[in-house]
Amino acid sequence: MFFPPSAPLSSLQKIPSSMVPCPILHPSVYKDYHPFVSRLFEEPCTVSNVENLMAPGIPYFIAHSSGTSNGVTKHFPKYRHPEHMSTSTAGTMAASNPVSKHGGKNCIAFSLGHRQVVQPLDHEGNIARRIPVCLMSTGTVRMHNDMAVERDQIYQSIRIPNNSSPLAVSYIPNYKSFLFMHALFALQEPNMELINTMFSTIFRDFCRVIEEQWETLVQCIEDGNVPELEATGPFIENLRRLFGGPNPERANYLRTIGKATDEPGWLKKIWPGLRTIVAISSGPFITVVPECHHFIGPDVVMQTLGINCSEAFLALAYDSRDPSLYKVVGSDEIIEFLNVNEPEEAKSLTQTWNVKLGEKYEVILTTRDGFWRYRLNDVIEVVGFDPTDGQPIIHYLERRNVHIRLANEITTEKQIQGAIAAVSDSLGYVSELCVSPDYRQTTPRYAFYLELQHSPGSDADLAPAKMHTYLQTHNQNYLKDSQAGKIGVPSVHILRRGTFGEYREWKAQVTNSASGQIKVPLVIWDEETRQWLSKMVEKEF
């Protein structure tokens, strides 16, 4: 409520507080920044037009999203800040590739490739900076280690002493070739202690490559041969030079173990010293965790480094026993919380020290890279507080805007996951999944595309009805619309084994994204992807 400057103070005091409206909250979204970010992609790009654009100086790299929510790629300029302003990021980078006290090696399956390079020109027309457009993880590794794009050929010729793979492997753009080469160099190394693949889905694909290509991989180790695969041509000379020659002793050891995938802990037999798998396994990545544990066995710890999205660094892993448990970072960004059960008003925005136990919040970020009160759309639940510094301990729950709707219902990510859990006794364990609208009949319905860890159960044909019942029980609008004949019983499509790994490879090629870090959207709307999935169906219920 506005009062002119001449209004006496007493007139303000007479207004009941109930009559003073609470300001409506207007946090920012990506489209608010697009006019500024787009300057970096203008031709020609000039320093005068992009310097001090979002933060002081020129960006070190530009992070691009994988576009899983709506298929549209977003770009986030990232600047180099003093280390004391990014302590959690620096600590996470150190933990992602630790130096072993026992002389063990790490397999670090990160990409170092980029989608393009932005080259702003100074006033004389010279290139002032080469800015890679890449994944957040790629750019963070580059920035932390000061890996300039113009020195990439040098990096591709070296091997970091505590890593199993030479850096050239991390530049391979083809997903299958990328995983095969990491597997080949890892299998050659008997003293593996840590495997870091960023996401649990990538680790699962890594394990399947070893399983499916076992004989070829072992033969390559025996012969000292590095085969030239798709997209490895520019790097093959360095890969062969750094492979180390024939190793019949290691090959014989691997043949003695054999492809023992039926028993838990196969990888522990391959690498007796294996201790840790680093891979995000909360939220949509949790479904493959049982399969991952089957490969590694009970004695290998599976942990995550934290929540590090394209926008900013949000949280650190808190307890390896619970992959969805994180501690909010108190140093890198300004983090606020919007209660999801209250109106979107300013009074609903809560600071870190005022969050309440058991409440659910959407994360709102203000970053040192120029985003102000930015909606992240990630929903968390506060489950405790760290006794050492009082920072909130959170469970990651879901994306706020991920849902499917065919009529008047809105079915959330949590409800979709619940429907899958409700049919695990009929179908067997679901390794990965997505859901899409099915318009093949007069009444639309949900189409669940599922990849199973094993073959479907004997009563798999009961799964659609069980899903339907679950959704009716947990979603009142779904119940009403299904009873009114607006939504039919879901269809269940069993995909052939390895489909989602092939999806990641396909999307990496289509979108020119880095190998191994494509996420599968939970809800698929675009017709191209739906048609692609339909070709992978082995059985439909």
Side-chain angles (χ1 to χ4, degrees):
M1 185 173 291
F2 173 75
F3 291 88
S6 58
L9 180 61
S10 59
S11 66
L12 294 175
Q13 294 172 334
K14 293 177 182 178
I15 299 174
S17 60
S18 60
M19 293 180 62
V20 179
C22 180
I24 297 174
L25 181 69
H26 289 295
S28 65
V29 294
Y30 183 74
K31 68 178 182 180
D32 298 323
Y33 303 95
H34 185 261
F36 303 96
V37 176
S38 61
R39 293 185 191 179
L40 290 157
F41 298 94
E42 293 176 351
E43 292 291 347
C45 175
T46 62
V47 170
S48 61
N49 208 26
V50 300
E51 191 172 24
N52 305 325
L53 182 65
M54 305 287 289
I58 298 176
Y60 190 93
F61 70 97
I62 302 170
H64 69 76
S65 70
S66 55
T68 57
S69 297
N70 56 14
V72 178
T73 299
K74 301 174 184 177
H75 295 96
F76 303 91
K78 297 294 174 179
Y79 298 78
R80 171 169 262 164
H81 306 291
E83 187 168 329
H84 72 275
M85 296 173 64
S86 305
T87 55
S88 296
T89 301
T92 299
M93 288 306 305
S96 68
N97 189 15
V99 176
S100 170
K101 298 178 181 179
H102 313 283
K105 297 295 181 74
N106 303 331
C107 175
I108 308 298
F110 280 17
S111 171
L112 289 174
H114 50 73
R115 179 173 288 184
Q116 68 181 94
V117 178
V118 171
Q119 303 181 124
L121 307 177
D122 62 21
H123 66 282
E124 295 181 349
N126 299 316
I127 297 174
R129 179 78 61 82
R130 290 178 172 85
I131 309 172
V133 181
C134 55
L135 294 166
M136 179 66 172
S137 56
T138 301
T140 303
V141 169
R142 282 183 170 276
M143 187 163 62
H144 183 75
N145 295 286
D146 197 21
M147 299 178 68
V149 173
E150 50 266 36
R151 297 199 293 268
D152 273 355
Q153 286 193 329
I154 297 174
Y155 306 141
Q156 292 166 13
S157 67
I158 63 176
R159 184 175 188 169
I160 298 174
N162 68 318
N163 287 184
S164 58
S165 303
L167 289 180
V169 178
S170 294
Y171 287 87
I172 297 173
N174 181 272
Y175 185 45
K176 284 187 176 179
S177 301
F178 170 86
L179 291 178
F180 181 94
M181 289 301 177
H182 272 301
L184 178 59
F185 279 88
L187 285 174
Q188 186 195 41
E189 173 54 58
N191 299 318
M192 190 71 65
E193 287 190 8
L194 178 145
I195 301 173
N196 187 342
T197 61
M198 180 63 77
F199 299 115
S200 59
T201 49
I202 310 307
F203 177 69
R204 193 279 308 273
D205 291 348
F206 174 81
C207 295
R208 285 189 175 180
V209 165
I210 296 176
E211 178 185 7
E212 293 166 2
Q213 301 292 328
W214 177 254
E215 290 78 12
T216 300
L217 290 162
V218 173
Q219 191 63 48
C220 286
I221 292 170
E222 182 175 50
D223 299 338
N225 175 45
V226 178
E228 183 169 344
L229 307 177
E230 184 175 350
T232 62
F235 319 105
I236 195 65
E237 183 178 342
N238 285 321
L239 295 175
R240 287 172 174 167
R241 178 176 57 84
L242 295 169
F243 190 55
N247 192 341
E249 182 179 353
R250 177 63 177 167
N252 288 335
Y253 174 81
L254 294 173
R255 286 198 177 98
T256 301
I257 294 172
K259 194 163 63 173
T261 55
D262 291 337
E263 299 178 6
W266 182 41
L267 296 195
K268 185 69 173 176
K269 297 176 182 178
I270 295 173
W271 300 293
L274 186 63
R275 302 167 182 265
T276 307
I277 305 300
V278 179
I280 295 173
S281 51
S282 60
F285 304 103
I286 198 170
T287 58
V288 301
V289 170
E291 187 174 352
C292 294
H293 278 300
H294 178 81
F295 279 110
I296 62 178
D299 299 326
V300 179
V301 176
M302 193 168 181
Q303 66 183 41
T304 181
L305 294 172
I307 303 176
N308 188 10
C309 53
S310 300
E311 293 85 347
F313 196 96
L314 173 60
L316 294 166
Y318 189 70
D319 189 337
S320 61
R321 294 168 297 181
D322 186 341
S324 63
L325 202 62
Y326 298 92
K327 173 183 173 180
V328 172
V329 173
S331 60
D332 290 38
E333 317 290 351
I334 297 174
I335 303 172
E336 297 175 291
F337 300 88
L338 179 63
N339 195 309
V340 299
N341 295 316
E342 296 181 5
E344 291 192 1
E345 299 174 348
K347 69 177 182 180
S348 302
L349 196 63
T350 305
Q351 306 305 312
T352 302
W353 51 88
N354 286 328
V355 296
K356 296 179 180 179
L357 188 68
E359 291 291 325
K360 297 179 177 62
Y361 300 92
E362 178 186 344
V363 179
I364 308 293
L365 289 176
T366 296
T367 76
R368 291 188 172 90
D369 294 313
F371 281 62
W372 293 81
R373 284 192 165 171
Y374 181 82
R375 299 196 75 151
L376 201 57
N377 288 316
D378 284 327
V379 178
I380 59 90
E381 179 182 10
V382 177
V383 297
F385 300 90
D386 191 322
T388 61
D389 57 12
Q391 288 292 331
I393 306 303
I394 61 174
H395 262 141
Y396 179 88
L397 296 180
E398 61 184 349
R399 294 284 289 177
R400 193 170 191 179
N401 60 348
V402 175
H403 63 267
I404 185 169
R405 177 180 180 178
L406 299 183
N408 297 313
E409 92 297 357
I410 292 179
T411 301
T412 65
E413 177 181 349
K414 185 177 181 180
Q415 291 166 344
I416 293 170
Q417 296 285 2
I420 294 299
V423 298
S424 60
D425 58 336
S426 298
L427 281 176
Y429 197 85
V430 175
S431 182
E432 284 192 81
L433 72 137
C434 62
V435 62
S436 175
D438 186 346
Y439 297 117
R440 294 175 299 171
Q441 297 181 0
T442 303
T443 303
R445 55 185 177 169
Y446 297 174
F448 286 86
Y449 291 90
L450 312 176
E451 187 177 335
L452 303 180
Q453 185 171 344
H454 304 292
S455 299
S458 58
D459 56 350
D461 57 324
L462 301 178
K466 287 186 176 181
M467 285 182 172
H468 196 54
T469 300
Y470 177 91
L471 293 171
Q472 287 177 323
T473 304
H474 292 81
N475 187 325
Q476 284 296 312
N477 285 335
Y478 184 95
L479 173 63
K480 293 177 181 178
D481 287 342
S482 61
Q483 289 177 337
K486 296 180 180 179
I487 303 176
V489 176
S491 59
V492 175
H493 307 257
I494 306 303
L495 302 170
R496 73 186 188 202
R497 193 171 188 265
T499 290
F500 285 109
E502 292 184 33
Y503 171 88
R504 283 183 276 275
E505 179 186 11
W506 172 60
K507 273 297 181 181
Q509 294 174 347
V510 170
T511 61
N512 191 27
S513 297
S515 295
Q517 296 188 33
I518 295 292
K519 304 171 189 176
V520 179
L522 181 63
V523 180
I524 301 289
W525 290 101
D526 69 284
E527 186 63 26
E528 183 182 20
T529 302
R530 290 164 61 194
Q531 290 294 331
W532 187 90
L533 285 171
S534 67
K535 297 176 183 177
M536 304 295 180
V537 175
E538 284 189 334
K539 187 174 293 187
E540 179 180 346
F541 298 102

